Amino acid sequence: MVEEIPSDDQVSRHVDSPDKWNPDEKRFVDDRLFMFKSPDEVESVVWRKYAVHIDDVHTLGCRRQGDRRQYRPNWTYEGAITALVRNIRSIATQYGDRFEVVHAPDEGVHHAHIEYRLAETKQYIKQRKLDLKEYLRRQFGDLDLHECPDRPAI
């Protein structure tokens, strides 16, 4: 059953390497942290109502790592970043572009989406998308690093 996510709740974003985190440089791959390749594409997050503690978020991330490594052996869960839903929903441009956070339990009761809501105007659309992704990134805190138990030794 789909639930309304209150603005006072938190969501966490799983961060992996090599796609979203550069472990050698210890920094985000900024243009890949939130992609939104098309207007109807969403970005997945963990609703903290159902993963209350950061360790719960990490458990889900490690489970994801196990699944992904079946076809991408170098895929590694690195940790999570967390934001307040209200802060994500408060992002808006002068054109009316914004984000929404919605429950999407198709992948588990904890699963939610950040949806990209672009205004109808086509003016400066490429720059608007870049700006929105940067505003979104700023709403999330620092990476809470985690090492899954089955991580190979370097």
Side-chain angles (χ1 to χ4, degrees):
M1 179 173 87
V2 175
E3 300 174 55
E4 179 69 28
I5 299 179
S7 290
D8 289 334
D9 283 11
Q10 292 182 321
V11 292
S12 292
R13 173 88 166 149
H14 286 144
V15 177
D16 60 82
S17 64
D19 296 338
K20 297 177 187 80
W21 178 254
N22 182 324
D24 296 328
E25 297 178 15
K26 305 246 184 284
R27 67 172 185 82
F28 292 106
V29 181
D30 289 327
D31 61 333
R32 298 196 48 102
L33 191 56
F34 297 101
M35 297 289 290
F36 297 106
K37 294 177 190 173
S38 65
D40 58 342
E41 189 169 311
V42 297
E43 295 291 336
S44 293
V45 289
V46 175
W47 185 5
R48 296 295 294 271
K49 174 181 178 179
Y50 293 106
V52 176
H53 305 287
I54 193 66
D55 286 342
D56 301 328
V57 175
H58 293 325
T59 297
L60 293 166
C62 290
R63 190 175 307 151
R64 228 173 124 212
Q65 174 177 294
D67 293 344
R68 292 278 173 100
R69 283 196 171 169
Q70 292 178 25
Y71 57 93
R72 286 185 68 192
N74 294 332
W75 196 95
T76 302
Y77 172 71
E78 298 286 354
I81 53 177
T82 300
L84 192 61
V85 171
R86 173 188 307 109
N87 295 347
I88 296 169
R89 288 178 176 154
S90 72
I91 298 169
T93 68
Q94 64 185 9
Y95 300 98
D97 306 319
R98 62 187 185 84
F99 292 106
E100 185 53 78
V101 182
V102 297
H103 190 210
D106 54 313
E107 293 182 37
V109 70
H110 63 276
H111 193 246
H113 289 157
I114 298 176
E115 297 179 349
Y116 205 36
R117 305 268 172 101
L118 284 178
E120 291 186 24
T121 180
K122 302 295 184 212
Q123 189 177 18
Y124 311 115
I125 197 159
K126 186 174 182 178
Q127 187 59 49
R128 286 170 31 214
K129 286 181 179 180
L130 290 172
D131 289 347
L132 275 171
K133 288 191 276 188
E134 176 57 27
Y135 299 151
L136 180 59
R137 168 63 193 106
R138 290 182 197 163
Q139 302 312 311
F140 283 80
D142 294 334
L143 179 64
D144 188 295
L145 287 165
H146 182 77
E147 191 169 314
C148 295
D150 69 339
R151 187 179 215 159
I154 296 175

